[in-house]
Amino acid sequence: MLLVLASQSPARLGVLRAAGADPEVRVSGVDEDAIIASLGDAKPDTVVTALAEAKAREVAGEFADALVIGCDSMLHFDGELVGKPGTAEIARQRWARMAGGTGDLLTGHALLRVRDGAVTATATGAERTLIRFGRPTQDEIDAYIATGEPLKVAGAFTLDALGGWFVDGIDGDPSSVVGISLPLVRRLLADLGISVTSLWTAR
């Protein structure tokens, strides 16, 4: 069975490869802002799960027989759900608020089983991990933003790269913070009647 990752995130791909899977990557072109707007006042978990499913469905039609995984991560901080900052100014504003505080990194997941070119089964869910942010100096924040890394990731931070210097701790699943929760994916696979070990490649 072909495993497909509907994400351009190298971090998600790295997590799956380190865990024994070797998915084919397909990047969806969904309009995330439009999907979020259509959801109105939906709960944060619902938003990230809906985005994950939209990404998976966008690419599922390209395959006759596959398991497609879609994911989406956002940070819920101080009552606001935010994704990638996109600009240095927004990243700087977010870090000014986040420093010394806590937030929930939410990652939505959608697994679609495709047979004969049609989606025959779906399993979805979201993982929530509490992030305890450190208090980097202004010079450290400026240097971090100058690398470009926080502009391209949910919440303007990473756990597994440069941003890890500025995270004091987490409560929850670290793989979910990186972008894909291995424990949740295993449970969703079981809902579809698939053992995670069937995705392992020869090592």
Side-chain angles (χ1 to χ4, degrees), residues 30-38 51:
V30 299
D31 186 337
E32 296 185 25
D33 291 338
I35 293 171
I36 292 172
S38 72
L51 288 168

Side-chain angles (χ1 to χ4, degrees), residues 1-5 65-69 111-114 189 192 194 199:
M1 178 175 54
L2 177 66
L3 178 64
V4 178
L5 176 63
D65 185 34
L67 175 69
V68 181
I69 300 178
L111 275 60
L112 275 56
R113 182 69 173 100
V114 180
L189 285 168
L192 298 179
I194 300 171
L199 304 183

Side-chain angles (χ1 to χ4, degrees), residues 22-46:
D22 190 20
E24 185 169 324
V25 174
R26 283 288 191 279
V27 180
S28 70
V30 299
D31 186 337
E32 296 185 25
D33 291 338
I35 293 171
I36 292 172
S38 72
L39 295 172
D41 295 328
K43 294 180 179 179
D45 288 6
T46 300

Side-chain angles (χ1 to χ4, degrees), residues 112-127:
L112 275 56
R113 182 69 173 100
V114 180
R115 289 189 176 93
D116 298 324
V119 175
T120 59
T122 304
T124 62
E127 189 71 18

Side-chain angles (χ1 to χ4, degrees), residues 110-141:
L111 275 60
L112 275 56
R113 182 69 173 100
V114 180
R115 289 189 176 93
D116 298 324
V119 175
T120 59
T122 304
T124 62
E127 189 71 18
R128 179 185 297 257
T129 303
L130 179 73
I131 311 296
R132 298 191 299 276
F133 293 102
R135 294 184 181 275
T137 66
Q138 189 59 56
D139 286 346
E140 289 171 335
I141 291 175

Side-chain angles (χ1 to χ4, degrees), residues 77-130:
F77 185 88
D78 197 22
E80 183 182 8
L81 191 62
V82 296
K84 304 176 184 70
T87 69
E89 184 56 35
I90 293 175
R92 190 171 285 106
Q93 292 171 1
R94 289 187 185 169
W95 266 103
R97 293 172 56 201
M98 296 187 313
T102 61
D104 289 319
L105 195 286
L106 307 175
T107 299
H109 299 67
L111 275 60
L112 275 56
R113 182 69 173 100
V114 180
R115 289 189 176 93
D116 298 324
V119 175
T120 59
T122 304
T124 62
E127 189 71 18
R128 179 185 297 257
T129 303
L130 179 73

